[in-house]
Amino acid sequence: MSDGTNAIVAKRVNSGESADLSEITDLARAAGYEVVGTLSQSRKEDAAFHFGEGKVDELTALVAETDAAAVIVDNRLGPYQTYNIGGKLPEGVEVIDRFTLILEIFGQRANTRKAQLQVELAELRYELPRAEAKASLAKRDERPGFMGLGEYDESREQDIKNQISRIKNELDSIAEKEETRREQRRESGFDLVALAGYTNAGKSTLMRRLAEDLEVGENEDLHPDLDPTAESEDRLFTTLGTTTRRADTGTRDVLLTDTVGFVSDLPHWLVESFKSTLDSVYRADLVLLVVDASEPVEEMRDKLVTCHDTLYERNEAPIVTVLNKIDKVDADELGRKMDALQALAPNPVSVSGLTGENVGALADRIERELPDWREERLLLPMSDDTMSLVSWLYDHGNVKNEAYEGENVLVEFEARPAIVEKARAKAAEVQAGTDGEAEAEAEPDGGYQT
């Protein structure tokens, strides 16, 4: 654990650019570090140190002055650059780049088997191209616990590949079971809605607000395999795996899934490692893209671009942008932001997950944006099986009319296409059973035809 560890955060940007250290500071704090100093530089990348060597000397002095135990760099460092920076720092001071820090946070938050496997896969994919370089460095100058990964030998690269293969196989098995479960839920009449968005946008709070009118226990009975609650804390990456809860938006039965938050500048290998978690977004019927409306408009724009980039290639569902935390923004400012972001977020819904403001309008929008249901009417003979079917239709669709006409029942309803087809099949079985009974009653002595 890094709780209480003093750290310096540092960042290099290209010449002429200004460095923003706010996100890396938030990430460091999310990992449990105490940020005691900052440093930045605007210049082209140095092949040996990433920063200029003089700036690394300045960093060394800052570390000594603040008694920092770690340097967190908001850039992607190569293994040799990490080694060279570490060689100038006081002994025992750890050098952590942006992606190592993110993986550290993920590791702290991984409470399920799937999440733990995804973190391990990401760590191994990050390590693989560095294995040969680290082996060379370890031979050149033994440094205990270099990069926190110990000693290396020639077989390390193959070991990593074998581990990656093993983990991918286990994750594929988990993904198949989850896909089967998703289809079972759809066949049961549920629409699947995923909450996506930048980390700390308030997705978990909004989810609790949308689902608060249903008891957690009810969700547990329906889906004992699901974690019934989503944490809501003001910190990054509170949600690492997925959390699913049932919500009633009106006529539709909806399962809401909260997922890991996006973060800017994630490399492909990291997104790919969490493919199994992101499948709940990619394969949803509707995606709610949640954005923190209290942030500066440029920051909102950058985060919307990050989210769209992550969703673009594989997402198939319609996307509704939700501007959250409007309790922190006045109406005029919110209107200006909506106008400025119109191209990225057309026709958004503005809500406050914290206070519940406009959440009803969001529920209405969810209903409108979900895939269309089909309308159907069935005329069924009165029987116990018919009443069971009518009850099933209430559970799996929206019954608009139920009328009794002599010995028959007329049911008018709307439901997912798969539910309509299943209802037709059940109705045919009911009709066949009734016809069979009628034929049996017509036989002499009450016997059945053979």
Side-chain angles (χ1 to χ4, degrees), residues 13-242:
V13 294
N14 292 327
S15 300
E17 297 179 2
S18 57
D20 181 357
L21 293 166
S22 59
E23 184 185 74
I24 192 65
T25 300
D26 288 342
L27 288 169
R29 288 172 178 154
Y33 291 96
E34 182 71 29
V35 177
V36 294
T38 62
L39 178 142
S40 63
Q41 185 174 35
S42 175
R43 58 155 289 168
K44 68 176 183 179
E45 180 178 354
D46 179 82
F49 290 95
H50 188 80
F51 300 94
E53 189 169 0
K55 184 61 70 170
V56 178
D57 290 336
E58 186 181 329
L59 177 63
T60 301
L62 185 58
V63 167
E65 177 187 331
T66 58
D67 197 27
V71 170
I72 299 170
V73 179
D74 192 19
N75 300 95
R76 188 180 311 194
L77 296 179
Y80 291 104
Q81 291 172 330
T82 304
Y83 179 81
N84 290 337
I85 293 172
K88 280 185 170 283
L89 298 175
E91 187 173 351
V93 175
E94 191 175 8
V95 180
I96 302 165
D97 75 356
R98 175 183 178 83
F99 305 116
T100 308
L101 177 66
I102 290 172
L103 289 176
E104 183 176 334
I105 298 170
F106 282 178
Q108 293 171 6
R109 305 285 196 270
N111 297 320
T112 66
R113 176 62 177 164
K114 185 174 83 169
Q116 290 163 354
L117 286 170
Q118 290 177 129
V119 169
E120 188 177 350
L121 179 61
E123 289 172 340
L124 290 167
R125 281 178 162 154
Y126 184 63
E127 171 59 16
L128 183 58
R130 290 159 174 75
E132 184 177 345
K134 288 182 180 178
S136 173
L137 290 170
K139 290 175 183 175
R140 183 200 307 174
D141 179 10
E142 290 291 342
R143 296 185 68 191
F146 174 63
M147 290 282 288
L149 292 167
E151 297 180 0
Y152 288 79
D153 57 35
E154 288 75 8
S155 65
R156 175 61 180 163
E157 189 171 350
Q158 189 56 48
D159 287 345
I160 292 173
K161 289 179 180 178
N162 291 341
Q163 290 180 68
I164 287 175
S165 178
R166 173 185 59 79
I167 292 171
K168 285 177 68 177
N169 287 338
E170 188 169 349
L171 283 172
D172 285 346
S173 176
I174 292 172
E176 287 177 10
K177 292 175 183 175
E178 291 182 339
E179 178 60 22
T180 299
R181 192 180 301 151
R182 272 192 291 270
E183 290 311 308
Q184 288 173 342
R185 290 170 186 160
R186 284 195 174 99
E187 289 173 6
S188 296
F190 284 100
D191 293 293
L192 308 183
V193 176
L195 289 160
Y198 205 86
T199 183
N200 224 32
K203 297 186 302 300
S204 297
T205 301
L206 183 58
M207 179 187 190
R208 293 173 70 88
R209 176 66 65 177
L210 284 165
E212 71 176 357
D213 58 331
L214 288 172
E215 292 294 328
V216 169
E218 180 178 351
N219 189 62
E220 287 175 336
D221 291 339
L222 286 166
H223 303 287
D225 55 307
L226 299 179
D227 178 2
T229 60
E231 292 182 86
S232 299
E233 297 181 31
D234 187 20
R235 62 175 185 165
L236 302 180
F237 301 115
T238 298
T239 306
L240 181 58
T242 57

Side-chain angles (χ1 to χ4, degrees), residues 279-299:
D279 272 349
S280 60
V281 177
Y282 297 140
R283 303 188 184 190
D285 298 307
L286 177 67
V287 176
L288 303 181
L289 181 52
V290 185
V291 182
D292 183 349
S294 68
E295 294 181 332
V297 70
E298 284 304 318
E299 196 167 334

